[in-house]
């Protein structure tokens, strides 16, 4: 498999990039901490203005160097927010618990489950006392949950492995959880069945987030439990699939123009994979590299679906105007 390799920067080129690389995009009104995670390989960010170059410097950085510098400075939501957003928009996964019956006694067993997360991102389950799994969890609540997208986007597959202790909710806590559940799913009549009780995964000990873009390309991160519990759900994450589907099917030329205009490199194809309130992810290809992941950052944060549409339209118009100007000059 062919990969894109960037040449390590020399001291001179680092000094050069200090003056010539585009400035980091900052938003005064984001209201959330800036992400310090390691970026995707190949993520890109869009700039609004260029830094002035000193008179004594004349050599410009290569496109590859400019691309790498930009993607390293890409503004993005945190890993904790990615996890909270995934758990908010998905409702099913695989739960592993410790078996207490032979011949699997003491071994982990897995089963399909459906769940709902509470306001802190903790999964809520409705389990029946008639299920052997429920009796096993009551005896030993140590469990792991693998949560996955309900319907994964092509070339974008997110998963979260969460480990903690599943406990049956009692008394007032159970009533509050039931009321919360019914606000999200008013038709969940089965919560009134006598054998059904609500359980919640508490005392989280680990979170492991992965996303695969294509075979051999993606990332995996351990996420601190405290960061996860205190993170917010990205407000536009739930619209990601329909927006990306619309752009890729109805406006493929605009998607390509956006990447070519804002990324700092020239690609031959581009596909939008995911959006969040700060930007969007793409998978691209060029003559020399069949797999180039890119990130473009919006000119301003988008907190609603309408605002996402506004910034994307604004970016596509700017890209189209730049392309038209370039063609006229040629």
């Amino acid at each position: 498999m062919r990969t894109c390799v960037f040449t390590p920067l020399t001291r001179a080129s680092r000094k050069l990039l200090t003056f010539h690389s585009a400035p980091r995009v900052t938003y005064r009104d984001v209201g959330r901490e800036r992400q310090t995670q390691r970026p995707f390989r190949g993520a890109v960010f869009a700039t609004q203005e260029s830094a002035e170059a000193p008179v004594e410097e004349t050599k410009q950085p290569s496109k590859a160097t400019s691309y790498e510098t930009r993607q390293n400075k890409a503004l993005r939501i945190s890993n904790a927010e990615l996890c909270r957003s995934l758990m908010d928009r998905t409702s099913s996964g695989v739960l592993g618990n410790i078996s207490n019956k032979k011949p699997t006694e003491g071994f982990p067993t897995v089963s399909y489950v459906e769940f709902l997360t509470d306001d802190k991102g903790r999964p809520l389950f409705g389990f029946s006392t008639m299920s052997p799994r429920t009796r096993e969890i009551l005896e030993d609540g140590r469990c792991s949950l693998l949560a996955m997208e309900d319907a994964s986007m092509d070339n974008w597959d997110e998963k979260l492995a969460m480990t903690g202790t599943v406990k049956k909710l009692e008394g007032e806590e159970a009533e509050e959880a039931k009321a919360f559940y019914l606000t999200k799913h008013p038709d969940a009549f089965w919560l009134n069945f006598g054998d059904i009780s609500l359980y919640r995964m508490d005392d989280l000990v680990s979170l492991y987030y992965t996303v695969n873009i294509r075979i051999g390309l993606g990332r995996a991160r351990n996420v601190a439990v405290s960061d996860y519990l205190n993170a917010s759900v990205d407000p536009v994450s739930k619209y990601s699939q329909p927006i990306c589907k619309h752009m890729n099917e109805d406006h493929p030329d605009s998607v390509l123009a956006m990447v070519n205009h804002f990324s700092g490199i020239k690609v031959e194809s581009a596909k939008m994979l995911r959006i969040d309130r700060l930007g969007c992810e793409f998978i691209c290809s060029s003559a020399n590299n069949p797999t180039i992941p890119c990130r473009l950052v919006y000119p301003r944060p988008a907190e609603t679906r309408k605002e996402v549409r506004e910034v994307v339209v604004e970016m596509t118009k700017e890209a189209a105007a730049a392309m038209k100007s370039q063609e006229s000059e040629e």
Side-chain angles (χ1 to χ4, degrees):
M1 183 175 65
R2 305 171 72 180
T3 58
C4 182
V5 180
F6 296 105
T7 304
L9 301 180
T10 64
R11 180 176 298 179
S13 59
R14 287 194 184 95
K15 179 179 179 182
L16 182 62
L17 287 174
T18 301
F19 299 105
H20 287 283
S21 57
R24 183 188 294 256
V25 174
T26 58
Y27 299 123
R28 296 180 179 177
D29 300 323
V30 170
R32 298 177 175 88
E33 291 185 3
R34 189 179 188 86
Q35 171 60 9
T36 58
Q37 68 188 58
R38 287 177 291 169
F40 275 123
R41 290 176 286 171
V44 190
F45 86 137
T47 62
Q48 294 176 301
E49 58 185 42
S50 300
E52 292 185 2
V55 177
E56 67 273 17
E57 297 285 358
T58 57
K59 183 180 178 182
Q60 295 292 331
S62 67
K63 286 187 176 181
T65 300
S66 176
Y67 174 84
E68 184 179 21
T69 300
R70 291 182 179 187
Q71 66 92 13
N72 283 333
K73 294 182 178 180
L75 190 69
R76 62 190 66 244
I77 65 175
S78 69
N79 288 316
E81 288 177 284
L82 286 170
C83 293
R84 283 295 302 271
S85 301
L86 171 61
M87 292 296 287
D88 181 70
R89 65 178 183 269
T90 191
S91 60
S92 62
V94 177
L95 184 71
N97 65 278
I98 305 299
S99 174
N100 65 2
K101 63 179 183 297
K102 295 182 179 180
T104 58
E105 184 177 3
F107 286 89
T109 58
V110 297
S111 55
Y112 171 83
V113 292
E114 294 184 347
F115 62 86
L116 172 72
T117 52
D118 65 9
D119 54 358
K120 291 186 177 181
R122 298 171 298 183
L124 292 169
F125 310 94
F127 290 153
S128 169
T129 55
M130 293 186 291
S131 169
R133 174 188 60 198
T134 304
R135 295 191 289 271
E136 291 173 342
I137 289 175
L138 287 171
E139 182 176 313
D140 188 341
R142 292 175 297 171
C143 297
S144 289
L145 172 68
L146 179 64
M148 301 163 282
E149 289 273 18
D150 289 334
S152 296
M153 285 286 291
D154 185 28
N155 297 129
W156 188 273
D157 183 21
E158 289 181 274
K159 296 182 178 68
L160 176 64
M162 175 184 293
T163 301
T165 303
V166 175
K167 299 177 181 179
K168 181 181 178 180
L169 299 179
E170 304 280 1
E172 183 178 345
E173 198 172 32
E175 291 301 319
E176 292 177 354
K178 181 179 178 180
F180 176 83
Y181 204 108
L182 289 174
T183 60
K184 300 290 185 178
H185 297 287
D187 297 329
F189 60 89
W190 46 267
L191 285 178
N192 294 317
F193 292 174
D195 62 305
I196 299 294
S197 296
L198 283 175
Y199 292 70
R200 184 176 65 208
M201 181 175 281
D202 282 321
D203 303 327
L204 302 181
V205 296
S206 73
L207 295 157
Y208 190 67
Y209 170 82
T210 62
V211 56
N212 295 314
I213 303 176
R214 283 183 179 171
I215 296 176
L217 184 63
R219 71 175 173 191
R221 297 284 187 270
N222 287 302
V223 178
V225 172
S226 59
D227 291 344
Y228 174 80
L229 295 175
N230 293 317
S232 301
V233 175
D234 183 84
V236 298
S237 172
K238 58 187 176 183
Y239 307 124
S240 184
Q241 291 191 15
I243 289 176
C244 291
K245 185 175 186 293
H246 167 68
M247 292 298 296
N248 292 327
E249 293 182 356
D250 300 334
H251 306 286
D253 294 339
S254 296
V255 172
L256 179 61
M258 285 173 63
V259 174
N260 279 327
H261 177 62
F262 291 107
S263 69
I265 58 172
K266 182 72 173 179
V267 298
E268 297 177 347
S269 68
K271 185 175 184 179
M272 186 180 288
L273 299 180
R274 185 184 67 83
I275 62 106
D276 54 62
R277 73 177 188 280
L278 300 180
C280 40
E281 308 280 353
F282 301 81
I283 189 72
C284 313
S285 64
S286 67
N288 298 323
N289 193 340
T291 306
I292 308 173
C294 299
R295 179 172 176 83
L296 300 182
V297 171
Y298 307 140
R300 57 189 176 277
E303 301 288 339
T304 65
R305 186 170 186 169
K306 179 182 177 182
E307 290 177 359
V308 171
R309 181 182 183 278
E310 290 173 351
V311 294
V312 170
V313 169
E314 183 179 318
M315 293 172 73
T316 57
K317 287 183 177 179
E318 181 180 335
M323 180 180 296
K324 184 176 181 180
S325 175
Q326 183 179 3
E327 291 175 350
S328 63
E329 290 178 359
E330 294 176 352

